[in-house]
Amino acid sequence: PKETDHLEQGKYGPVFPRTPACYGFTIVARVKPGHADAMRQYGYALAEALEQDPYLLAPLKLHYLRWVLFDDDTRFMYQGIFDTDFDKYTEDAVALFSKAGVSTAFEHLEGFPEDWRTNPEAFVRFVREHHCPSFIEYGEYPYVTADEIKKALRIKSALSEMLDQMQ
């Protein structure tokens, strides 16, 4: 919503309502000149880290992440869809990256605060300043959490295995 005065206020500002696609945000920001390759390398490193530990990002309760470099690698779009509200996602992300001792790809974006690890408010301010709100969202499985989806898939697998053994 454009007007946020009526929304519940969280630790870092208005708490946007959950949508059928759960919670999330999309930011668009300028990439620091010459940093597009470093941004891609960070993405590859994150993918490799997830191969080593598939649960690395589990505290964030993510459904999807999408990273896009565009306009000749001068701009970056980050889109995240997750199950927690924005305040919890922010605190969990800062804690996760700080604990792991890793940086964030956002460090390659113009205006991203250097003190983001110790100043979550600055991180939030950056995200809110660069947020591009959606005007429509659709969820094929509205309001279903990632944990509920994973549980349903485990049940499906167990039922398939049981039916296979009955044959």
Side-chain angles (χ1 to χ4, degrees), residues 8 12 16-17 27 48 55 88 112 115 119 145:
E8 174 189 346
Y12 302 111
F16 292 100
I27 65 167
E48 191 174 300
Y55 302 102
K88 176 123 177 67
F112 188 72
D115 65 344
N119 188 357
T145 68

Side-chain angles (χ1 to χ4, degrees), residues 36-129:
D37 285 339
M39 181 73 79
R40 280 191 182 88
Q41 289 305 317
Y42 185 89
Y44 300 142
L46 180 59
E48 191 174 300
L50 285 165
E51 284 180 20
Q52 301 299 315
D53 179 4
Y55 302 102
L56 177 69
L57 298 178
L60 300 180
K61 301 294 184 186
L62 290 163
H63 284 258
Y64 304 102
L65 283 181
R66 177 170 285 138
W67 294 10
V68 179
L69 283 166
F70 62 102
D71 285 347
D72 294 324
D73 290 351
T74 62
R75 298 199 313 153
F76 174 74
M77 181 189 79
Y78 171 96
Q79 184 177 49
I81 304 295
F82 42 89
D83 287 330
T84 64
D85 66 43
F86 180 73
D87 287 1
K88 176 123 177 67
Y89 178 87
T90 297
E91 290 178 347
D92 289 346
V94 169
L96 176 76
F97 286 108
S98 296
K99 180 181 175 186
V102 297
S103 63
T104 173
F106 291 0
E107 290 180 349
H108 298 290
L109 302 177
E110 291 181 0
F112 188 72
E114 291 183 24
D115 65 344
W116 66 273
R117 290 178 208 261
T118 58
N119 188 357
E121 290 86 2
F123 174 87
V124 169
R125 195 169 33 258
F126 177 85
V127 170
R128 291 197 189 256
E129 287 171 0

Side-chain angles (χ1 to χ4, degrees), residues 2-17:
K2 288 184 181 219
E3 296 298 322
T4 60
D5 293 343
H6 67 286
L7 296 176
E8 174 189 346
Q9 295 295 304
K11 186 174 181 179
Y12 302 111
V15 176
F16 292 100

